[in-house]
Amino acid sequence: MNNTTLLAVNGTLMRGLELNGNMTAAGGVFLREDHTDPHYRLWSIGDRHPGMIRVAAGGTSVALEIWELPLASFAALLLSEPAGLAIGKVTLRDGNQVLGVLAEPWLVDNQKDITAHGSWRAYTGHFYSA
């Protein structure tokens, strides 16, 4: 039995950002940078964190990070996420699916659409260098 899962993150849980400590405290291990397939839109939620939703048309490929996370700490990490963010299946550009952080549709109402930026990092200017 596998005691870990892959988790795609596109916002403040990423390396060097505000809530990355929650990811590492939960035992998360960074695996790689990746992108979604071109069916996602991205919003800035009050300029605090992004919200990403899969769409049928008008989407783009969103940059994200893939982490390996122990199943035993998965729930604790989710409980630390802001309201309106949930876990769903995210399709990567290679067609594989992994669990990922997605926004509930109500969360993006009247928020700033930042899809054209392609990522939270590009929108905020907070790039990571190891």
Side-chain angles (χ1 to χ4, degrees), residues 38-61:
H39 295 101
Y40 291 85
R41 294 196 68 80
L42 197 60
W43 288 264
S44 172
I45 310 304
D47 280 345
R48 292 184 318 276
H49 62 83
M52 182 175 78
I53 294 180
R54 185 168 177 84
V55 294
T60 194
S61 179

Side-chain angles (χ1 to χ4, degrees), residues 1-7 27 29 67-72 74:
M1 180 176 157
N2 190 351
N3 293 324
T4 63
T5 189
L6 298 182
L7 182 65
V29 175
W67 287 73
E68 185 174 35
L69 187 66
L71 289 174
F74 190 66

Side-chain angles (χ1 to χ4, degrees), residues 9-130:
V9 298
N10 61 63
T12 57
L13 287 173
M14 293 189 301
R15 296 170 299 153
L17 297 180
E18 180 183 353
L19 298 181
N20 182 250
N22 293 348
M23 178 66 85
T24 57
V29 175
F30 172 77
L31 296 180
R32 68 183 187 276
E33 294 179 352
D34 210 326
H35 287 78
T36 67
D37 74 2
H39 295 101
Y40 291 85
R41 294 196 68 80
L42 197 60
W43 288 264
S44 172
I45 310 304
D47 280 345
R48 292 184 318 276
H49 62 83
M52 182 175 78
I53 294 180
R54 185 168 177 84
V55 294
T60 194
S61 179
V62 174
L64 42 73
E65 292 181 351
I66 306 297
W67 287 73
E68 185 174 35
L69 187 66
L71 289 174
S73 58
F74 190 66
L77 180 67
L78 297 181
L79 290 171
S80 72
E81 284 291 275
L85 295 180
I87 297 299
K89 290 188 178 177
V90 172
T91 304
L92 302 176
R93 67 177 162 194
D94 66 4
N96 286 319
Q97 289 188 329
V98 297
L99 294 178
V101 179
L102 297 168
E104 295 182 44
W106 64 265
L107 184 64
V108 304
D109 285 347
N110 301 312
Q111 299 295 320
K112 184 176 183 179
D113 188 318
I114 61 170
T115 303
H117 292 271
S119 74
W120 181 245
R121 286 192 191 281
Y123 173 70
T124 62
H126 292 110
F127 295 97
Y128 183 79
S129 61

